[in-house]
Amino acid sequence: MSQTTKPWVIGNWKMNLDRRAAEILAREIADDPSCRAKIKVGLAPPFPYLDRVAEILGHGPVALLGQDLHPEARGAYTGSVSGPMLRDMGVTHVLVGHSERRRLHGEDDNMIRRKISAAVEAGLTPVVCVGEDLAQRESQQAMTTITTQLQAALAADGWPGQGETLVAYEPVWAIGTGRVAGREQIIEIHAGIRRLLPGHARILYGGSVSPDTAGPLAREKEIDGLLVGSASLTATTFLAIVKATTPA
Ligand code: PGA
């Protein structure tokens, strides 16, 4: 973690929680003083709960993220949510290219490029997610895979722009598996990503981050923050990660 910029901790709730549980969790996080100092905390709730979570977060320091967006701003796209709609709800950042979108929703690099353009156009900061699957890792194709993903992202209009450039490295085989990537693996990939992006890029790690692994990960100079799935679903585990990530 760099000494000069605040690390990020983003909780991706995915398709979990109900309205009541989302409210309670958002309130516990918003009210906790550890989410204020020396750290940037963000929450990505399911779309139907964005409005309520936005209300709870108010004008406080915790950022509101979308989990995805449609590449078009409006139109006949049943079931989809656009960048301007997210912006309207108080969202400032949006995950783009999460491996679950790539894998389960068939999003290819071209679609992700369009979504990044749409996010920028709507005034949202995309958190561009990249990562290799197990077969690619085992055949030494991890960096090649990520380079292709990033080159597509770099072809998006307006990205990276003047604002913060955020990328999340999430090895697919580490997501939801309890298997955190090794230190050397992460450092090598983060350094590779950094070489492809402008100097100010912030690179987050995601994949089975827990209160136990957050501290050591956060102390690595190459890691600018954490993207947390399962462990973001309870205030206890998420706040423990926030505390472990906060610089002394
Ligand atoms: P996980 O998910 O922490 O449950 O592995 C991370 C993510 O998908 O962002």
Side-chain angles (χ1 to χ4, degrees), residues 94-113:
V94 60
L95 303 180
V96 182
H98 189 281
S99 68
E100 283 147 20
R101 299 297 314 179
R102 292 180 189 262
R103 203 162 39 90
L104 306 173
H105 297 265
E107 293 187 7
D108 61 11
D109 283 337
N110 186 45
M111 172 57 84
I112 288 153
R113 175 187 61 74

Side-chain angles (χ1 to χ4, degrees), residues 12 14 95 98-100 170 174-178 206-209 227-231:
N12 174 12
K14 307 191 180 182
L95 303 180
H98 189 281
S99 68
E100 283 147 20
E170 298 201 297
I175 296 177
T177 57
S208 294
V209 173
L227 179 52
V228 187
S230 331

Side-chain angles (χ1 to χ4, degrees), residues 14-236:
K14 307 191 180 182
M15 198 175 73
N16 291 301
L17 308 176
D18 56 22
R19 181 183 159 100
R20 186 83 193 107
E23 284 176 354
I24 294 170
L25 182 54
R27 194 171 298 287
E28 284 178 303
I29 291 164
D31 288 349
D32 197 285
S34 53
C35 295
R36 286 160 206 280
K38 296 187 193 166
I39 190 138
K40 283 185 168 177
V41 176
L43 298 178
F47 289 140
Y49 307 141
L50 275 174
D51 203 19
R52 190 62 195 114
V53 173
E55 243 177 87
I56 292 166
L57 300 181
H59 297 292
V62 178
L64 187 63
L65 285 87
Q67 296 180 10
D68 179 45
L69 81 169
H70 193 274
E72 297 296 330
R74 69 192 61 78
Y77 302 104
T78 302
S80 299
V81 173
S82 74
M85 290 171 181
L86 293 176
R87 189 59 210 242
D88 213 14
M89 307 309 297
V91 167
T92 53
H93 297 68
V94 60
L95 303 180
V96 182
H98 189 281
S99 68
E100 283 147 20
R101 299 297 314 179
R102 292 180 189 262
R103 203 162 39 90
L104 306 173
H105 297 265
E107 293 187 7
D108 61 11
D109 283 337
N110 186 45
M111 172 57 84
I112 288 153
R113 175 187 61 74
R114 291 176 59 211
K115 289 189 171 194
I116 296 169
S117 302
V120 173
E121 176 69 29
L124 301 166
T125 302
V127 180
V128 177
C129 303
V130 297
E132 81 285 3
D133 64 23
L134 191 57
Q136 289 159 338
R137 160 68 53 190
E138 285 176 345
S139 58
Q140 330 301 327
Q141 294 298 304
M143 198 59 222
T144 315
T145 303
I146 291 159
T147 301
T148 307
Q149 293 171 344
L150 271 178
Q151 275 163 350
L154 286 164
D157 296 329
W159 191 84
Q162 296 307 309
E164 199 170 23
T165 302
L166 289 169
V167 171
Y169 167 51
E170 298 201 297
V172 178
W173 47 271
I175 296 177
T177 57
R179 213 179 135 192
V180 181
R183 177 181 173 274
E184 316 275 282
Q185 290 171 328
I186 301 174
I187 291 172
E188 188 193 337
I189 300 284
H190 278 220
I193 294 173
R194 216 175 281 288
R195 278 195 289 277
L196 292 165
L197 291 171
H200 61 279
R202 322 274 334 267
I203 308 166
L204 281 50
Y205 168 78
S208 294
V209 173
S210 68
D212 290 340
T213 54
L217 287 168
R219 282 191 286 280
E220 294 295 344
K221 195 163 66 50
E222 273 298 339
I223 301 179
D224 299 311
L226 301 169
L227 179 52
V228 187
S230 331
S232 72
L233 296 175
T234 70
T236 324

